[in-house]
């Protein structure tokens, strides 16, 4: 797993309080990991801070799964 | 009870009667305060009076860029913004049939839209801290209406609905959002009334007098406290019994 993926996973695990092995490529934050809409906003905030990037609102809406997040951040960072 | 040591509070309209009283009360309970307003002179005088832990952060609430910058400026001065008191307000009274779009819009912009922007601006820090207090100063006329104040009443009622919606969204993060709705309080805003108007108003107030800024500040202190953590989405009416709602 890439460095970015492991850092993203750490944030997701800590923020949503889920088991690490639940955070798979296609795991949806809301449907599979129990996030509510506010959690997804907070996750995006945490990603922005961890990676020093800005994630615009329209991009944030496309980040639905763990894989989406890793892909977006890999391209932006 | 109601100790605010270690908290940082941003108060808009701190040069006014209610805002000044709120800032003094927050500071007296141990909070740092960022005093905001358009008139820097009175803000600096209040800062000098309060001494340590008081900061001036000037802002013109009719200017969106100035409003966007305010939460950041306050957080830089104090380290964080844990408590936001949206107190600033203007009136541009006119009979409905004569009210211009400009009179309508300026009151909505300063009283309601700036409150929205400031709430949005402080939320990130409060979400991360899992603690925050937002107290929006509404008005009895937001609930009762008032002839000549269609714009002001709309803004103040809008504030209540907005606060309740935000209260829903952030309750699970330890952030409360409440309103305080003053009745007639002795301030520069009510000084503009003539004796006849004042007499008429007093006739509608069971307490038989206007309220003081300190009596509003006491409610703000309560809602800003850790002890009030289970109070959210509420509007506390302080009006001498003028409207028992």
């Amino acid at each position: 797993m890439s460095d970015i993926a492991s850092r993203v996973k750490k944030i997701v695990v800590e923020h949503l309080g889920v088991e690490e092995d639940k955070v798979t490529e296609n795991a949806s934050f809301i449907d599979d990991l129990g996030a509510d809409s506010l959690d997804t906003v907070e996750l995006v905030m945490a990603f922005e801070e961890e990676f020093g990037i800005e994630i615009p609102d329209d991009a944030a809406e496309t980040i639905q799964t763990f894989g989406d997040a890793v892909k977006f951040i890999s391209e932006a960072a | 009870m109601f100790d605010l040591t270690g908290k940082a509070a941003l108060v808009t309209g701190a040069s006014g009667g209610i805002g000044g009283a709120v800032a003094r009360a927050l500071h007296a309970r141990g909070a740092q305060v960022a005093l905001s307003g358009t008139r820097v002179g009175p803000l600096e005088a209040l800062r000098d009076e309060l001494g340590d832990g008081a900061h001036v952060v000037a802002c013109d609430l009719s200017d969106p860029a100035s409003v966007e910058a305010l939460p950041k400026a306050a957080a830089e001065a104090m380290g964080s913004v844990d408590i936001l008191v949206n107190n600033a307000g203007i009136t541009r009274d006119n009979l409905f049939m004569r009210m211009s779009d400009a009179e309508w819009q300026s009151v909505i912009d300063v009283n309601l839209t700036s409150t929205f922007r400031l709430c949005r601006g402080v939320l990130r820090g409060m979400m991360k801290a899992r603690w925050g207090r937002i107290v929006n100063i509404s008005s009895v006329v937001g609930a009762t209406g008032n002839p000549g104040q269609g714009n002001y009443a709309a803004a103040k009622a809008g504030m209540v609905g907005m606060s309740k919606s935000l209260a829903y969204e952030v309750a699970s993060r330890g952030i409360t959002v409440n309103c305080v709705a003053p009745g007639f309080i002795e301030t520069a805003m009510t000084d503009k009334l003539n004796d006849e108007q004042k007499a008429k108003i007093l006739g509608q107030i069971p307490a038989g007098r206007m309220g003081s800024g300190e009596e509003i500040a006491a409610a703000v202190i309560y809602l800003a406290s850790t002890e009030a953590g289970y109070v959210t989405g509420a509007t506390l009416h302080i009006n001498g019994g003028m409207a028992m709602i």
Side-chain angles (χ1 to χ4, degrees), chain B residues 205-222:
Chain B
I205 303 174
R209 64 173 178 86
M210 288 202 186
S212 69
E214 289 71 26
E215 287 169 319
I216 302 305
V220 175
I221 293 298
Y222 169 63

Side-chain angles (χ1 to χ4, degrees), chain A residues 2-34:
Chain A
S2 72
D3 169 55
I4 286 176
S6 61
R7 283 158 72 193
V8 170
K9 183 174 277 195
K10 187 161 173 282
I11 289 170
V12 173
V13 166
E14 276 175 12
H15 190 87
L16 299 179
V18 292
E19 300 290 327
E20 211 167 299
D21 56 12
K22 295 269 195 310
V23 186
T24 55
E25 177 78 16
N26 293 320
S28 157
F29 295 127
I30 289 176
D31 296 333
D32 302 318
L33 301 176

Side-chain angles (χ1 to χ4, degrees), chain B residues 88-113 115 137-160 189 192:
Chain B
I90 60 167
T91 55
R92 296 283 181 273
D93 296 358
N94 210 341
L95 288 174
F96 212 101
M97 290 179 74
R98 295 205 177 118
M99 186 171 288
S100 69
D101 283 6
E103 284 166 338
W104 169 268
Q105 199 60 49
S106 62
V107 168
I108 297 294
D109 284 349
V110 171
N111 296 10
L112 182 59
T113 307
T115 296
I137 308 298
S138 179
S139 167
V140 64
V141 308
T144 62
N146 199 26
Q149 293 201 305
N151 49 3
Y152 188 75
K156 293 302 189 180
M159 210 181 232
V160 171
M189 203 183 267
K192 284 191 281 187

Side-chain angles (χ1 to χ4, degrees), chain A residues 15 36 38-39 41-42 45-46 48-49, chain B residues 123-125 127-128 130 169-170 172-173:
Chain A
H15 190 87
D36 64 21
L38 196 55
D39 286 318
V41 174
E42 287 189 294
M45 277 163 45
E48 287 179 332
E49 213 149 281
Chain B
L123 278 173
R124 182 181 277 246
M127 298 256 285
K128 286 179 73 176
R130 290 288 189 268
E169 290 187 20
V170 297
S172 64
R173 304 315 198 257

